[in-house]
């Protein structure tokens, strides 16, 4: 599903945000990426969604080499990869329904399809009955659920999440992770960047530890910084 080959991103000769990353992620995997701040986790995710291009090396997603992807092709890639951030960024003047629908409207989906898909993804994230609420009328966890629904509208093959629980209390964080597990059980590959030791230890899944732009450890089990 995702293959990185000697993937490097240098912001200048001194800043090697990624430095020769080799990585294979199989379809349907749930992978956590951990590591201290500044180790290259976000840079790796930004490469996956082509927000940045590699300085060297290769990145292939579902057989598609996106190392030199053109700007015009990026929207097609983004339909295959949903993204969730720590900072939730909902549109404050739109309801839950409208926030989710907007993600389909901007890509020119027909109204009929929007009417079908929005209730489906709202149900998946457990927000049925709350479609008419505005972001300020919801908790942080509920807002993150809206963001996850929004990331699912194109039925992506991969969902990447950069510290999605970073601003949530521990109980809410576990609920969000349970939702990511449920989405993974439907067959979506999940790549989760997190600082949260407790979450990683509960997951008991694959953990990739980044250090100085490199993969320092790649194992199944507990959180470790190397
Ligand atoms: N746009 C950028 N310009 C210059 N340096 C950057 C940029 N983005 C990230 N970096 C640097 O690359 C390194 C890795 O950053 P990042 O991937 O954000 O780390 P993490 O997500 O693990 O905290 C850091 O040293 C960071 O300062
Ligand atoms: Mg980061």
């Amino acid at each position: 599903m995702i293959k990185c080959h000697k993937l490097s991103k240098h912001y200048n000769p001194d800043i090697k945000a990624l430095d020769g990353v080799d990585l294979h992620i199989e379809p349907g995997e749930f992978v956590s990426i951990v590591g201290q701040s500044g180790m290259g986790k976000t840079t790796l995710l930004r490469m996956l969604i082509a927000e940045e291009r590699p300085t060297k090396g290769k990145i292939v997603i579902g057989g598609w080499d996106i190392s030199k992807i053109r700007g015009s092709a990026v929207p097609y890639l983004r339909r295959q990869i949903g993204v969730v951030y720590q900072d939730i960024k909902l549109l404050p003047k739109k309801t839950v329904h409208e926030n989710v629908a907007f993600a389909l409207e901007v890509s020119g989906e027909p109204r009929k399809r929007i009417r079908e898909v929005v209730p489906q993804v709202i149900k998946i994230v457990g927000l049925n009955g709350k479609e008419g609420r505005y972001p300020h009328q919801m908790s942080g966890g509920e807002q993150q659920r809206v963001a996850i629904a929004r990331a699912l509208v194109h039925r992506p093959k991969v969902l990447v999440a950069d510290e999605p629980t970073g601003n949530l209390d521990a109980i809410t964080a576990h609920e969000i992770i349970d939702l990511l597990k449920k989405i993974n059980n439907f067959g979506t590959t999940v790549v989760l960047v997190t600082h949260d030791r407790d979450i990683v230890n509960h997951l008991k899944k694959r953990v990739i530890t980044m250090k100085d732009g490199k993969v320092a450890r790649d194992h199944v089990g507990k959180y470790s910084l190397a």
Side-chain angles (χ1 to χ4, degrees):
M1 182 84 251
I2 299 171
K3 288 185 185 169
C4 301
H5 180 65
K6 295 193 172 136
L7 186 67
S8 296
K9 179 70 184 179
H10 301 172
Y11 283 104
N12 67 45
D14 301 326
I15 305 177
K16 295 181 175 168
L18 290 179
D19 190 14
V21 170
D22 283 304
L23 199 59
H24 283 199
I25 297 176
E26 301 296 330
E29 271 198 86
F30 191 124
V31 179
S32 302
I33 299 182
V34 306
Q36 286 171 342
S37 186
M39 293 304 171
K41 306 180 297 296
T42 294
T43 304
L44 180 59
L45 291 195
R46 295 180 74 200
M47 299 284 196
L48 295 178
I49 58 171
E51 242 176 59
E52 296 282 357
R53 304 290 184 278
T55 309
K56 279 190 281 183
K58 203 158 114 170
I59 180 159
V60 180
I61 296 184
W64 181 10
D65 185 344
I66 61 156
S67 315
K68 293 179 181 144
I69 185 175
R70 291 176 32 196
S72 59
V74 170
Y76 295 97
L77 176 69
R78 299 277 169 83
R79 287 176 197 205
Q80 298 182 41
I81 307 187
V83 194
V84 180
Y85 301 95
Q86 173 170 358
D87 155 21
I88 297 169
K89 294 183 213 159
L90 298 178
L91 298 163
K93 293 189 174 150
K94 289 188 186 286
T95 64
V96 169
H97 180 96
E98 290 163 350
N99 264 282
V100 176
F102 189 68
L104 289 156
E105 286 160 11
V106 293
S107 58
E109 297 291 334
R111 278 187 192 193
K112 182 168 176 289
R113 172 124 184 98
I114 296 176
R115 273 200 302 272
E116 275 167 21
V117 171
V118 174
Q120 287 169 2
V121 293
I122 286 178
K123 184 158 183 254
I124 290 170
V125 303
L127 287 179
N128 7 1
K130 297 185 176 165
E131 296 84 348
R133 295 213 188 166
Y134 289 90
H136 74 269
Q137 297 172 318
M138 291 187 295
S139 67
E142 286 170 333
Q143 291 182 36
Q144 192 56 290
R145 285 173 190 271
V146 179
I148 293 170
R150 188 175 57 182
L152 294 177
V153 291
H154 294 297
R155 296 298 157 102
K157 297 188 183 78
V158 183
L159 183 66
V160 303
D162 196 353
E163 312 263 7
T165 62
N167 291 332
L168 304 175
D169 64 75
I171 291 171
T172 309
H174 277 282
E175 289 168 358
I176 292 294
I177 299 301
D178 283 343
L179 174 58
L180 296 182
K181 278 161 68 178
K182 176 173 129 183
I183 291 163
N184 176 245
N185 287 337
F186 291 152
T188 309
T189 306
V190 174
V191 181
L192 166 71
V193 169
T194 183
H195 266 104
D196 194 319
R197 181 183 295 267
D198 195 41
I199 280 172
V200 173
N201 291 344
H202 271 89
L203 278 167
K204 301 185 179 73
K205 293 195 188 273
R206 183 172 172 195
V207 186
I208 292 168
T209 306
M210 300 286 301
K211 193 173 183 196
D212 299 327
K214 295 185 169 73
V215 173
R217 192 173 179 203
D218 186 347
H219 74 295
V220 174
K222 297 214 163 188
Y223 184 98
S224 99
L225 283 179

